[in-house]
Amino acid sequence: MKVRVLGSGAGGGFPQWNCNCDNCAGFRNGTLRGQARTQSSIAVSGNGTDWLLINASPDIASQLQAWPEGQPGRHKRDTAIQAVMLMDSQIDHTTGLLSLREGQRLPLYCSSQVREDLNKGFPLEPMLEFYCGLEHRAIDPDGKPFSVPEVPGLSVEPVPIPGKAPPYSPHRNDPHLGDNIAVRISDLNSGSSVFYAPGMGGYTEQVREAMTQSDCLMVDGTFWREDEMLWRGVGDKHAADMGHLPQSGAGGMIELLADFPQRKCLIHINNTNPILDEDSAERATLTAAGIEVCHDGMEIAL
Ligand code: MLT
Ligand code: MN
Ligand code: ZN
């Protein structure tokens, strides 16, 4: 199985267009050592030819340009992306679907909660019917592992995850199972697997179990601190308000990941997060804990 990190940033990317927090300003003026990041998305393949896009980032056009394998060039019109799967209905995970409108009818795997958002709060599905159209494939958030016929050799196990529906969602403050999911994707040949959860408001026993069974963990790296937006002077929402578990603090991501010896990487890093500064104490703490920070273009072979 191959995993390609198309984008590793949270909503807004890094640097964010309108942001002058210490990170964004420091990156622009060259005083911060770090890498720019587009809004998060990965692609996964079992055979190296047919790829499953997980979340569709608003930055998908540049992400595909930076990824030669994404354009195999077999026909006048072609793509390696055979299907798309959504973990939630956040803007930074769904707007890339608009940029895929020139293609073939697109198989879209998502929960019924996410589908509802994409028909009501943000009606992408009916809109896209005038372009490529979406072929809905329902994910039962608590269901059994399933295969994706368009992307052979893989099995996908959905795992419901504590989180939040997006701000525009009719059920933002009325959580439902399926608003946020994680997936454990297994290679049917090698048996190896990756756990992908770019948005994790917390964890359950079921989440821990799925993580235990995975060879590589790619989890929510949005915030270092619960009060990060206030600390940076750019907002007043807490990590918990936004459905993200911060890395630091009691019960935080670093503490959780300490129980898992396998490869572990953070993805969906917000531009305010001090770990983006490669010379920061926070980044050193992660490194000492054996936690990697995903970057755009990173590839993981499992
Ligand atoms: C989030 O995951 O909370 C988002 O990155 C917010 C956003 O898309 O603006
Ligand atoms: Mn996001
Ligand atoms: Zn910023």
Side-chain angles (χ1 to χ4, degrees), residues 25-95:
F27 181 82
R28 283 192 204 96
N29 68 27
T31 56
L32 176 143
R33 196 169 65 86
Q35 290 185 43
R37 284 172 164 82
T38 61
Q39 294 164 89
S40 71
S41 171
I42 63 168
V44 184
S45 179
N47 61 10
T49 307
D50 303 302
W51 292 75
L52 174 66
L53 184 71
I54 305 192
N55 294 329
S57 163
D59 300 316
I60 190 162
S62 63
Q63 294 172 347
L64 292 180
Q65 265 177 38
W67 182 38
E69 276 178 288
Q71 181 44 267
R74 298 161 296 196
H75 316 286
K76 288 281 180 204
R77 293 278 164 97
D78 199 10
T79 176
I81 296 171
Q82 302 300 328
V84 182
M85 186 174 287
L86 300 177
M87 302 295 96
D88 56 48
S89 53
Q90 292 277 0
I91 285 182
D92 60 339
H93 289 162
T94 56
T95 38

Side-chain angles (χ1 to χ4, degrees), residues 273-300:
N273 193 325
I275 64 175
L276 289 172
D277 178 350
E278 292 172 18
D279 300 317
S280 64
E282 292 84 356
R283 182 61 168 266
T285 300
L286 287 186
T287 306
I291 302 171
E292 297 172 56
V293 180
C294 287
H295 57 84
D296 292 21
M298 180 174 177
E299 294 199 339
I300 297 175

Side-chain angles (χ1 to χ4, degrees), residues 180-234:
N180 297 80
I181 63 164
V183 282
R184 187 169 81 91
I185 303 181
S186 306
D187 183 311
L188 292 170
N189 292 316
S190 70
S192 57
S193 63
V194 61
F195 178 79
Y196 188 60
M200 264 176 90
Y203 48 90
T204 59
E205 260 321 298
Q206 191 180 1
V207 169
R208 274 184 169 279
E209 183 57 32
M211 289 171 73
T212 303
Q213 290 169 9
S214 304
D215 300 292
C216 176
L217 309 174
M218 299 176 81
V219 295
D220 190 333
T222 313
F223 296 120
W224 179 260
R225 288 169 58 141
E226 174 60 28
D227 64 350
E228 188 163 307
M229 301 290 275
L230 286 101
W231 171 60
R232 288 295 202 186
V234 296

